[in-house]
């Protein structure tokens, strides 16, 4: 064991290069390492000491540090950073090779088995020798050679350092793009900053890097990063803030540190303006919430812009003669919206929301107002176009997102054109997208938010539609009319899909069609006692029985909607099974997994979903398309998103998932001819009324639930939606109280 770490004298860091002869000591926990190395110009072996993940004997190294003299061990080089100049072991070389196009795990092992530790030298000097490896052809060799030539320089150094730290070398590109010539310094001296700045590096990866570098686990930097990570992690559950006690409890589980250190970190973050404490109204439990600064500012900006739009006096539009078929409630809705700066229209399926919107649009056109129609997803925007006959787009396209930065062209400093703005499926608006939209409006706009408040809230953080409805209806003097439609109109009045959706909404048992109705039926329930039977029945229904009985296309018209991703009754298992049934024999392209191993395969004709916004390709989270072209040798595939084609390289396929089965959350804003829903007691953490209601209302012609009746009964009983911590309603109410002093009247309407 070493007596203690030797601190070198102050001064500029020196660079020492050589070859590791042997490791004298290495402690995995502290990462304290003592090495003996051959260094040019030194007669004897040199002793190196410092913190390192450990290096194989024989590795070429570059160390940054200072010479010092230890009282017992004499002259030694105390390093602050120790880097492999290139991979030297078979395992490290194989890991590097897996980052090359066309090389998967098996091929990487074959190459290293053939050339051993000379592999990279072969790539440098005689790359055509790779053709000696079974299964490697000229086209793959060409892409490997091109990649290898491009990977020299700082990115290679970053890859080597990441390999030494036992972190995926694929992150080197992202580090280099973000920090350029400062990338190595940021990696080694500010690892927790990476979690904030670099896509693909979260707190867990940053923490792993920091531990490998020997960062003090109780350091302020780690505590602060862990607290911020805790709040950011809460976003995945839809929260914009956390109560103090929950923040402490959740952070303690992540950091495993005592409460006093966390309390001190909270105080630091508050003083630095990174964490914003907000008191809640008297009597609230809890009485305070902690916000990340960006969410606190987003809520403030959204409320201020919305109420400025709502409270500005304006000339009502002339409604004129409305169609005779409109109900009194629908007529009152059109009139209310035509006289307001902001209005909210909500109601379930078949209640006539689209009819109201169409008539509001006609009133706006007669008044000479321009139309700006949008929805959060491409599918919802297409439905809005179909129901109104007017052009519509996604909210991202309406605001003209910039591919290079992800920022919107239309914003507070460059507002949208004047006119009526209609946003359909508004329950899908998360806080940040709603803020971007509403702050881009001026008093020359009117805003109509349309949505079903009983559906699941947005996938992203916030509960915007419900919060705004709650505030508008609770305010003593609200300038925002909330129009609720409850009566079912048109042919859907006899629909058993719609009828059962409302039965769920009102806590009543389902009333499925009798099996004897056959293809004339719309809503069926099939019993299955466990996940395996549920899985088998749904695969059989999707692949064979429904296409045969109803004539639906099994790839494009039948959608499996799952409460969860994991397990035999989750999206992942269904996607594997349905892909094998539909496209299993077709040409495919393998996508790398998170650590370079094989992840998934996409095949020609596969139904896929984009899972994050891609501004450059103009494809957004939740968009569903079909793989129409694969060029395996080039590692490329093309997806058709309803006429918009996007091409992906192999290393970009992480943005895609198979979409034969998707989560119920991801289905919002879409309708499908046929829907299959697994419901089991093992889904108990997700079983709530609004989840089942949302799933059923996605079906246009056929809905089949497969599973355990007890799970359905539990979902129907669970009327309370999963709690989301937000402050939007309270902030809106506070400003509404101020607006009441100006004499603005309440216009919350309960119709039908």
């Amino acid at each position: 064991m070493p007596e203690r770490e030797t601190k070198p004298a102050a001064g500029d860091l020196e660079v020492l290069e050589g070859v590791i002869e042997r490791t004298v000591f290495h402690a995995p926990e502290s990462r304290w390492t003592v090495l003996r190395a051959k260094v040019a110009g030194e007669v004897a072996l040199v002793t190196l000491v410092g913190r390192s993940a450990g290096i194989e004997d024989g590795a070429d190294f570059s160390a940054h540090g200072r010479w010092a003299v230890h009282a017992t061990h004499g002259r030694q080089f105390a390093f602050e950073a120790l880097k492999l100049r290139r991979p030297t072991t078979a395992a490290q070389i194989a890991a590097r090779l897996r980052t090359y196009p066309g090389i998967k795990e098996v091929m990487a092992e074959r190459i290293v088995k053939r050339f051993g530790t000379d592999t990279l030298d072969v790539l440098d000097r005689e790359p055509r020798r790779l053709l000696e490896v079974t299964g490697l052809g000229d086209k793959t060799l060409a892409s490997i050679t091109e990649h290898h030539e491009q990977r020299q320089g700082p990115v290679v150094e970053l890859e080597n350092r990441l390999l030494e730290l036992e972190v995926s070398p694929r992150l080197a590109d992202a580090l280099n793009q973000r920090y350029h010539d400062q990338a190595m310094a940021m990696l080694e001296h500010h690892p927790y900053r990476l979690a904030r700045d670099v896509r693909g590096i979260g707190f867990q990866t940053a923490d792993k890097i920091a531990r490998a570098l020997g960062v003090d686990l109780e350091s302020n930097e780690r505590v602060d990063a862990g607290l911020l990570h805790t709040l950011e992690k809460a976003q995945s559950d839809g929260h914009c803030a956390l109560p103090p006690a929950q923040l402490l409890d959740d952070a303690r589980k992540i950091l495993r540190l005592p409460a006093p250190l966390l309390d001190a970190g909270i105080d630091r973050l508050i003083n630095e303006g990174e964490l914003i404490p907000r008191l809640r109204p008297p009597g609230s439990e809890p009485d305070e919430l902690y916000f990340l600064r960006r969410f606190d500012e987003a809520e403030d900006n959204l409320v201020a812009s919305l109420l400025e739009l709502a409270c500005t006096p304006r000339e009502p539009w002339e409604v004129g003669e409305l169609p005779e078929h409109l109900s009194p409630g629908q007529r009152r809705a059109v009139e209310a919206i035509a006289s307001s700066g902001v209005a909210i229209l909500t109601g379930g399926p078949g209640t006539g929301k689209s009819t109201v919107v169409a008539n509001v649009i006609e009133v706006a056109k007669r008044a000479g107002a321009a139309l700006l129609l949008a929805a959060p997803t491409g599918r919802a925007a297409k439905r809005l176009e179909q129901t109104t006959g007017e052009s519509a787009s996604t909210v991202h396209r309406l605001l003209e997102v910039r591919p290079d930065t992800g920022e919107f062209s239309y914003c507070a400093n460059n507002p949208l054109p004047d006119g009526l703005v209609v946003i359909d499926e508004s329950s899908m608006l998360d806080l940040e997208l709603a803020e971007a939209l509403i702050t881009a409006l001026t008093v020359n706009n009117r805003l109509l938010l349309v949505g079903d408040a009983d559906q699941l809230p947005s996938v992203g953080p916030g509960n915007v539609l419900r919060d705004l409805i709650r505030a508008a209806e609770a305010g003593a003097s609200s300038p925002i009319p909330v129009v609720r439609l409850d009566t079912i109109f048109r042919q859907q009045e006899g629909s058993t899909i719609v009828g059962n959706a409302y039965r769920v909404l009102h806590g009543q048992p389902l009333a499925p069609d009798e099996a004897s109705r056959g293809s004339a039926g719309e809503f069926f329930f099939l019993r299955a006692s466990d996940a395996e039977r549920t899985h088998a029945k749904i695969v059989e229904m999707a692949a064979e029985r429904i296409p045969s009985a109803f004539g639906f296309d099994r790839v494009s018209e039948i959608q499996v909607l799952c409460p969860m991703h994991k397990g035999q009754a989750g999206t992942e298992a269904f996607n594997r099974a349905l892909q094998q049934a539909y496209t299993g024999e077709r040409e495919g392209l393998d996508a790398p997994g998170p650590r370079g191993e094989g992840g998934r395969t996409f095949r020609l004709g596969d139904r896929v979903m984009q899972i994050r916004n891609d501004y450059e390709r103009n494809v957004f989270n939740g968009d569903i398309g079909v793989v129409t072209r694969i060029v395996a040798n080039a590692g490329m595939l093309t997806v058709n998103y309803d006429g918009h084609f996007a091409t992906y390289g192999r290393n970009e396929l992480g943005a895609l998932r198979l979409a034969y089965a998707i989560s119920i959350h991801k289905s919002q804003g879409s309708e499908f001819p046929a829907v299959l829903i697994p419901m089991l007691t093992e889904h108990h953490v997700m079983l709530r009324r609004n989840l089942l209601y949302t799933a059923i209302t996605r079906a246009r012609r056929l809905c089949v639930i497969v599973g355990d009746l007890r799970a359905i009964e539990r979902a129907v009983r669970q009327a309370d939606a999963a709690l989301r911590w937000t402050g939007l309603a309270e902030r809106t109410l506070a400003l509404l109280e101020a607006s009441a002093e100006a004499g603005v009247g309440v216009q919350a309407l309960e119709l039908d």
Side-chain angles (χ1 to χ4, degrees):
M1 294 287 293
E3 295 179 10
R4 61 186 179 90
E5 181 177 349
T6 303
K7 295 292 184 183
D12 294 336
L13 295 180
E14 297 182 46
V15 178
L16 196 68
E17 296 182 342
V19 179
I20 300 300
E21 179 72 15
R22 66 179 182 276
T23 300
V24 177
F25 176 81
H26 176 67
E29 289 300 320
S30 67
R31 305 286 175 151
W32 181 257
T33 305
V34 181
L35 303 164
R36 298 281 281 169
K38 296 177 181 178
V39 176
E42 296 285 338
V43 176
L45 294 178
V46 170
T47 300
L48 290 86
V49 297
R51 299 189 188 278
S52 166
I55 296 182
E56 298 280 347
D57 294 349
D60 290 346
F61 74 90
S62 173
H64 294 247
R66 303 181 184 92
W67 289 102
V69 178
H70 192 275
T72 303
H73 302 292
R75 182 172 177 260
Q76 54 190 211
F77 189 80
F79 61 84
E80 293 189 11
L82 182 66
K83 300 178 289 186
L84 292 179
R85 289 194 290 193
R86 69 187 302 171
T88 56
T89 69
Q92 289 175 342
I93 293 171
R96 166 74 68 78
L97 289 176
R98 288 196 297 269
T99 69
Y100 283 47
I103 299 183
K104 296 187 296 182
E105 187 170 2
V106 172
M107 182 58 69
E109 290 175 357
R110 286 181 187 171
I111 294 171
V112 173
K113 183 177 180 180
R114 174 68 182 85
F115 300 110
T117 55
D118 294 330
T119 297
L120 296 180
D121 288 334
V122 170
L123 264 172
D124 287 338
R125 299 166 191 162
E126 303 175 274
R128 289 198 61 79
R129 287 194 62 198
L130 265 66
L131 295 175
E132 299 171 16
V133 177
T134 304
L136 200 153
D138 285 320
K139 290 184 179 179
T140 302
L141 175 63
S143 61
I144 291 172
T145 304
E146 180 182 2
H147 182 80
H148 185 69
E149 291 172 352
Q150 293 173 348
R151 304 295 287 180
Q152 307 307 309
V155 172
V156 172
E157 291 185 15
L158 286 168
E159 286 182 344
N160 292 340
R161 186 58 169 143
L162 289 167
L163 282 167
E164 181 191 352
L165 296 170
E166 299 178 2
V167 177
S168 171
R170 294 182 182 277
L171 297 173
D173 269 333
L175 285 168
N176 189 56
Q177 290 173 11
R178 177 63 179 84
Y179 300 120
H180 305 294
D181 59 349
Q182 296 299 309
M184 188 66 76
M186 293 299 297
L187 173 66
E188 296 186 332
H189 299 293
H190 302 286
Y192 292 106
R193 278 286 303 279
L194 309 183
R196 297 195 210 181
D197 296 347
V198 181
R199 176 184 285 275
I201 299 182
F203 174 80
Q204 301 297 342
T205 300
D207 202 38
K208 180 179 181 179
I209 293 170
R211 287 169 180 266
L213 294 169
V215 173
D216 182 359
L217 298 185
E218 296 185 358
S219 67
N220 291 350
E221 187 178 9
R222 181 172 185 267
V223 171
D224 294 354
L227 286 164
L228 293 175
H229 168 68
T230 302
L231 281 162
E232 289 163 352
K233 190 171 181 287
Q235 295 176 41
S236 62
D237 294 321
H239 300 302
C240 298
L242 285 178
Q246 186 173 340
L247 173 59
L248 280 171
D249 189 49
D250 291 352
R252 191 182 298 115
K253 293 174 183 176
I254 292 170
L255 292 168
R256 301 186 181 278
L257 293 175
L261 286 176
L262 303 182
D263 284 327
I266 289 173
D267 289 340
R268 277 193 304 275
L269 292 172
I270 291 174
N271 290 335
E272 294 168 4
E274 294 291 331
L275 192 63
I276 311 296
R278 293 292 181 187
L279 293 175
R280 304 182 74 213
S284 299
E285 181 61 38
D287 60 0
E288 188 177 30
L289 291 176
Y290 286 154
F291 287 80
L292 288 173
R293 180 174 59 191
R294 72 175 186 275
F295 286 144
D296 185 73
E297 292 175 349
E299 287 196 353
D300 272 349
N301 293 338
L302 190 159
V303 171
S305 296
L306 185 75
L307 292 187
E308 181 183 11
L309 189 63
C311 295
T312 299
R314 63 189 67 238
E315 191 73 25
W317 286 334
E318 180 64 41
V319 174
E321 290 293 326
L322 293 174
E324 292 184 1
H325 62 79
L326 292 187
S327 71
Q330 288 175 312
R331 290 171 181 273
R332 291 174 59 198
V334 175
E335 292 165 356
I337 294 167
S339 63
S340 307
V342 177
I344 299 173
L345 176 63
T346 186
T351 56
K353 295 191 302 295
S354 296
T355 301
V356 171
V357 170
N359 280 275
V360 169
I361 286 173
E362 289 304 313
V363 169
K365 287 164 70 174
R366 288 197 297 268
L371 300 176
L372 296 86
L373 310 185
T377 68
R379 283 180 165 259
K382 189 171 183 179
R383 286 178 53 209
L384 182 59
E385 278 191 346
Q386 293 168 345
T387 58
T388 63
E390 303 289 342
S391 177
S393 71
T394 63
V395 177
H396 284 86
R397 293 189 181 104
L398 176 68
L399 297 174
E400 292 189 2
V401 66
R402 297 172 180 166
D404 52 339
T405 64
E407 297 176 350
F408 294 113
S409 296
Y410 289 111
C411 57
N413 296 324
N414 180 38
L416 283 164
D418 299 349
L420 171 66
V421 178
V422 179
I423 306 299
D424 200 9
E425 297 290 352
S426 294
S427 63
M428 299 177 65
L429 288 174
D430 63 28
L431 174 62
E432 292 178 298
L433 185 57
E435 179 210 13
L437 169 69
I438 292 171
T439 55
L441 303 179
T442 71
V443 295
N444 295 319
N445 292 111
R446 299 188 192 218
L447 174 65
L448 173 57
L449 297 174
V450 184
D452 185 347
D454 293 311
Q455 283 190 177
L456 290 168
S458 58
V459 175
N463 207 351
V464 174
L465 184 64
R466 283 193 183 184
D467 282 352
L468 292 179
I469 290 174
R470 180 159 64 94
E473 294 185 334
S477 185
S478 172
I480 302 176
V482 176
V483 181
R484 291 183 178 270
L485 300 175
D486 296 322
T487 301
I488 301 174
F489 296 95
R490 305 190 319 275
Q491 74 279 6
Q492 292 191 9
E493 189 167 6
S495 166
T496 51
I497 293 174
V498 173
N500 278 287
Y502 279 98
R503 295 182 74 84
V504 169
L505 198 58
H506 294 100
Q508 300 170 354
L510 296 178
D513 291 322
E514 296 291 336
S516 59
R517 288 197 66 187
S519 60
E522 296 183 355
F523 189 92
F524 298 96
F525 170 65
L526 300 180
R527 291 181 181 272
S529 58
D530 55 37
E532 287 72 23
R533 289 180 176 85
T534 299
H535 178 93
K537 284 190 176 184
I538 285 182
V539 170
E540 180 190 8
M541 293 289 291
E544 299 174 16
R545 292 177 61 186
I546 290 178
S548 174
F550 291 85
F552 293 131
D553 180 81
R554 62 182 189 173
V555 173
S556 63
E557 295 185 311
I558 300 173
Q559 184 65 61
V560 180
L561 301 180
C562 303
M564 302 179 75
H565 293 292
K566 301 295 183 181
Q568 273 294 93
T571 61
E572 295 174 3
F574 282 122
N575 276 320
R576 286 193 297 269
L578 292 173
Q579 183 191 48
Q580 182 59 37
Y582 298 164
T583 65
E585 302 302 318
R586 297 182 185 175
E587 181 182 17
L589 182 65
D590 293 333
R595 293 180 177 82
E597 69 271 14
R600 60 186 65 85
T601 300
F602 295 105
R603 301 191 183 282
L604 195 63
D606 271 341
R607 181 181 175 91
V608 296
M609 173 182 278
Q610 175 82 14
I611 63 167
R612 54 177 174 260
N613 292 334
D614 187 329
Y615 307 113
E616 185 173 347
R617 290 183 176 83
N618 209 24
V619 180
F620 302 99
N621 188 1
D623 286 353
I624 294 176
V626 175
V627 177
T628 57
R629 184 169 181 261
I630 289 179
V631 185
N633 290 336
M636 310 284 284
L637 66 75
T638 299
V639 179
N640 177 6
Y641 295 99
D642 291 327
H644 173 71
F645 292 85
T647 298
Y648 300 78
R650 187 189 304 275
N651 290 334
E652 299 166 321
L653 296 179
L656 296 179
R657 295 289 184 273
L658 290 172
Y660 301 111
I662 62 176
S663 70
I664 297 171
H665 262 102
K666 284 286 191 182
S667 73
Q668 292 178 89
S670 297
E671 277 189 352
F672 309 96
V675 162
L676 285 158
I677 308 166
M679 294 292 289
L680 294 164
T681 54
E682 68 183 46
H683 300 142
H684 61 91
V685 295
M686 299 294 293
L687 295 179
R688 297 182 185 275
R689 190 176 293 177
N690 63 348
L691 181 94
L692 181 55
Y693 172 78
T694 299
I696 292 172
T697 56
R698 300 309 91 203
R700 188 161 60 241
R701 172 65 182 83
L702 176 67
C703 179
V704 180
I705 301 179
V706 182
D708 191 333
L709 186 59
R710 293 172 300 171
I712 296 173
E713 292 170 345
R714 177 170 183 154
V716 172
R717 286 197 307 269
Q718 292 284 91
D720 57 317
L723 177 65
R724 290 192 169 195
W725 294 113
T726 73
L728 189 63
E730 288 79 7
R731 293 177 207 240
T732 305
L733 277 169
L735 281 181
L736 282 174
E737 289 176 1
S739 72
E741 298 177 2
V744 180
V746 177
Q747 298 183 50
L749 304 179
E750 291 286 349
L751 302 182
D752 298 311

